[in-house]
């Protein structure tokens, strides 16, 4: 199998952080189960391409593997380099990890070249483009998934099981608090944060999660936002966004989720992300603190860090190669490669892997909510969710 990565930022290589990212480790994990002949990574400038190659070489050494790897562009910066690479590399699968506003442009091109795609969230920022991608994937009989890794978090799988068994009774409402350090919009994603917002880029995770947990359908949203902090950095986007979503249950009753998001958290916070979810039912409630997983590191260099050991973890002292990287972030990437391998080598129908996964079809739910939220922020009015 030949795999292409489009993008080389924090989530791919760990750029701007002290870790090795999630996409590259996920692909190395997948290589322990599948025959990945070659990996190619394409960005828009040579500096980022060289950095990605250095990260790859480090992981290759850790795994003691000899996977072939090339990063592009090699000589000259080119925003359309991915088209040239696809033509010559001819990948079987691609992972798209670029800024939100480029998702449709790049993914539609890849699908037209008959390449299976995994796209980081959100699928797109509007339903029209999302449906076009879904149709392109179906018409070409391709697997299209969105990398909503929270579906793989063991804590969330326990919540889903409890909800499905009715252990807290009929669900009434949920409250989500989700924030990230201000270094994200002002440094790591500075070149494009003004083309996105914290709900679209980050909060969308919990829209998909609510749908995954309940299978309820969203039908109405109201959003509020504040612009005070980031404008001082000359970044024209929302500091924080609060969203109320009304969901319709199968019996016609209403479930309400409140999403409180910001990406102006102090850089002195003990974790990159601070996230909590509460789900209240008629017979009880479920509380999940996704930050306080019980592992805290204190030293003179990093002061205090609250580590989530279940997301993307690194253990270079493992005696077993397949255990060097582990976590639900890794799993969301490696599972995609598993699926494509079966589609290619066993002629398994791609539709089989859309079931119970964050397919393009299922991701239209969160895409529709993102679009309605963005409209509500501008109009300051309640918006219907058009599915």
């Amino acid at each position: 199998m030949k795999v292409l990565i489009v993008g080389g930022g924090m989530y791919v290589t760990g750029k701007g952080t002290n870790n090795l990212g999630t996409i590259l480790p996920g692909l190395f994990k997948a290589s322990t189960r599948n025959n990945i002949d070659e990996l190619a990574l394409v960005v828009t400038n040579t500096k980022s391409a060289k950095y990605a190659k250095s990260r790859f070489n480090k992981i290759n050494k850790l795994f003691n593997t000899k996977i072939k790897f090339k990063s592009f562009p090699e000589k000259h910066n080119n925003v359309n380099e991915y088209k040239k690479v696809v033509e010559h590399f001819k990948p079987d699968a691609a992972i798209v990890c670029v800024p939100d506003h480029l998702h449709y442009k790049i993914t539609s091109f890849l699908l037209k070249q008959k390449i299976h795609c995994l796209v980081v969230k959100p699928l797109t920022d509007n339903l029209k483009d999302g449906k076009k991608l879904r149709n392109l994937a179906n018409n070409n009989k391709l697997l299209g998934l969105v990398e909503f890794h929270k579906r793989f978090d063991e804590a969330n799988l326990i919540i889903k099981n409890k909800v499905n068994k009715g252990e807290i009774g009929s669900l009434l409402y949920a409250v989500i608090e989700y924030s990230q350090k201000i270094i994200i919009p002002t440094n790591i994603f500075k070149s494009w944060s003004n083309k996105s917002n914290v709900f679209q880029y980050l909060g969308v995770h919990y829209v998909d999660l609510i749908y995954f947990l309940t299978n309820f359908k969203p039908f109405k949203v109201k959003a509020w936002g504040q612009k005070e902090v980031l404008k001082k950095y000359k970044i024209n986007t929302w500091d924080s966004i609060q969203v109320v979503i009304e969901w319709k249950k199968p019996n016609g009753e209403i479930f309400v989720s409140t999403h409180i998001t910001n990406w102006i958290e102090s850089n002195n916070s003990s974790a990159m992300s601070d996230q909590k979810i509460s789900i209240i039912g008629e017979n009880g409630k479920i509380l999940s603190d996704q930050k306080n997983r019980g592992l805290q590191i204190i030293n003179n260099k990093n002061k205090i860090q609250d580590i989530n050991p279940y997301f993307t973890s690194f253990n270079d002292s493992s005696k077993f190669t397949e255990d060097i990287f582990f976590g639900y972030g890794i799993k969301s990437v490696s599972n995609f490669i598993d699926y494509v391998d079966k589609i290619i080598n066993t002629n398994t129908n791609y539709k089989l892997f859309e079931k119970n996964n964050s397919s393009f079809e299922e991701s239209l739910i969160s895409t529709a909510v993102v679009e309605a939220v963005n409209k509500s922020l501008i109009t300051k009015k309640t918006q219907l969710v058009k599915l």
Side-chain angles (χ1 to χ4, degrees):
M1 192 191 306
K2 297 166 78 173
V3 182
L4 173 68
I5 309 161
V6 185
M10 178 180 71
Y11 201 61
V12 176
T13 64
K15 188 176 182 180
T17 72
N18 295 322
N19 60 50
L20 294 167
T22 294
I23 301 296
L24 280 182
L27 287 170
F28 272 88
K29 179 77 171 185
S31 74
T32 65
R33 304 192 295 260
N34 305 284
N35 184 19
I36 298 178
D37 302 306
E38 293 181 69
L39 285 176
L41 182 146
V42 59
V43 286
T44 60
N45 64 80
T46 56
K47 184 178 179 180
S48 293
K50 289 177 182 177
Y51 180 82
K53 189 172 184 178
S54 70
R55 297 287 86 188
F56 176 88
N57 289 339
K58 181 173 182 178
I59 301 173
N60 216 12
K61 187 175 181 180
L62 286 169
F63 267 82
N64 194 28
T65 51
K66 296 180 180 179
I67 299 174
K68 296 177 183 177
F69 177 83
K70 281 191 175 183
S71 58
F72 302 90
E74 296 178 301
K75 295 181 179 179
H76 306 289
N77 295 351
N78 181 9
V79 295
N80 291 315
E81 185 75 10
Y82 67 96
K83 294 182 179 180
K84 291 171 57 180
V85 173
V86 167
E87 181 182 353
H88 296 291
F89 185 60
K90 300 187 185 306
D92 300 294
I95 299 176
V96 181
C97 192
V98 297
D100 304 352
H101 63 287
L102 298 175
H103 285 191
Y104 174 76
K105 175 185 175 182
I106 292 174
T107 307
S108 60
F109 174 81
L110 294 170
L111 293 171
K112 289 174 183 176
Q113 311 309 309
K114 302 189 185 309
I115 300 167
H116 301 282
C117 289
L118 175 67
V119 184
V120 295
K121 47 67 188 164
L123 176 58
T124 64
D125 62 2
N126 68 87
L127 191 60
K128 181 180 178 181
D129 285 348
K131 287 183 175 180
K132 286 181 180 178
L133 293 181
R134 182 225 21 218
N135 293 341
L136 270 174
N138 286 338
N139 292 341
N140 288 291
K141 297 182 179 179
L142 296 167
L143 180 63
L145 299 181
V146 178
E147 201 272 323
F148 279 121
H149 51 253
K150 293 193 182 299
R151 291 186 176 214
F152 297 93
D153 186 340
E154 289 81 358
N156 293 332
L157 292 175
I158 291 172
I159 294 172
K160 183 176 176 65
N161 186 47
K162 300 298 182 184
V163 166
N164 287 346
K165 287 184 175 180
E167 293 191 14
I168 62 170
S170 179
L171 302 184
L172 304 176
Y173 68 92
V175 178
I176 295 97
E177 295 180 77
Y178 199 178
S179 61
Q180 279 195 335
K181 293 181 179 181
I182 195 170
I183 194 176
I184 293 289
T186 60
N187 188 316
I188 296 175
F189 296 154
K190 185 178 181 180
S191 64
W192 61 272
S193 56
N194 65 338
K195 293 182 174 67
S196 183
N197 63 58
V198 67
F199 185 83
Q200 178 178 306
Y201 151 73
L202 194 65
V204 67
H205 261 309
Y206 279 91
V207 179
D208 179 74
L209 184 62
I210 291 291
Y211 175 66
F212 175 66
L213 295 175
T214 67
N215 207 35
F216 298 161
K217 297 294 174 62
F219 75 96
K220 192 184 297 183
V221 307
K222 180 71 170 73
W224 299 262
Q226 295 77 38
K227 289 184 177 181
E228 295 187 24
V229 180
L230 293 177
K231 67 181 182 182
K232 298 174 184 177
Y233 294 84
K234 297 182 180 180
I235 298 173
N236 183 23
T237 191
W238 306 94
D239 301 335
S240 51
I241 297 174
Q242 303 82 46
V243 175
V244 175
I245 306 174
E246 293 184 52
W247 305 71
K248 192 164 288 185
K249 302 191 220 178
N251 63 3
E253 295 294 327
I254 303 301
F255 173 82
V256 176
S257 62
T258 302
H259 304 248
I260 304 167
T261 57
N262 84 67
W263 53 0
I264 54 166
E265 189 93 354
S266 169
N267 288 329
N268 292 323
S269 175
S270 60
M272 185 66 81
S273 296
D274 191 354
Q275 43 191 308
K276 303 176 182 67
I277 181 171
S278 306
I279 303 175
I280 286 73
E282 61 178 345
N283 297 327
K285 63 182 178 181
I286 297 171
L287 308 175
S288 179
D289 189 329
Q290 304 270 296
K291 171 185 168 182
N292 293 314
R293 299 293 182 115
L295 178 61
Q296 191 174 82
I297 309 290
I298 302 172
N299 60 32
N300 292 332
K301 181 179 179 182
N302 296 313
K303 298 182 181 179
I304 298 177
Q305 287 181 292
D306 285 303
I307 306 295
N308 178 358
Y310 312 109
F311 173 47
T312 298
S313 290
F314 170 52
N315 178 19
D316 60 348
S317 62
S318 174
K319 295 179 180 178
F320 304 100
T321 299
E322 63 270 21
D323 293 332
I324 291 176
F325 291 109
F326 58 93
Y328 59 85
I330 298 290
K331 187 180 291 183
S332 69
V333 176
S334 62
N335 277 13
F336 169 70
I337 299 300
D338 290 348
Y339 302 152
V340 175
D341 181 79
K342 288 182 173 64
I343 292 168
I344 293 172
N345 295 313
T346 67
N347 292 319
T348 306
N349 191 312
Y350 75 100
K351 283 288 184 183
L352 179 67
F353 303 112
E354 290 187 340
K355 296 177 181 178
N356 301 317
N357 275 308
S358 49
S359 64
F360 284 1
E361 181 70 45
E362 288 208 353
S363 298
L364 293 178
I365 296 288
S366 55
T367 298
V369 170
V370 164
E371 182 174 41
V373 166
N374 287 340
K375 287 180 180 178
S376 182
L377 286 168
I378 294 170
T379 64
K380 303 186 185 304
K381 295 179 181 180
T382 298
Q383 298 290 320
L384 294 177
V385 179
K386 299 176 182 179
L387 298 174

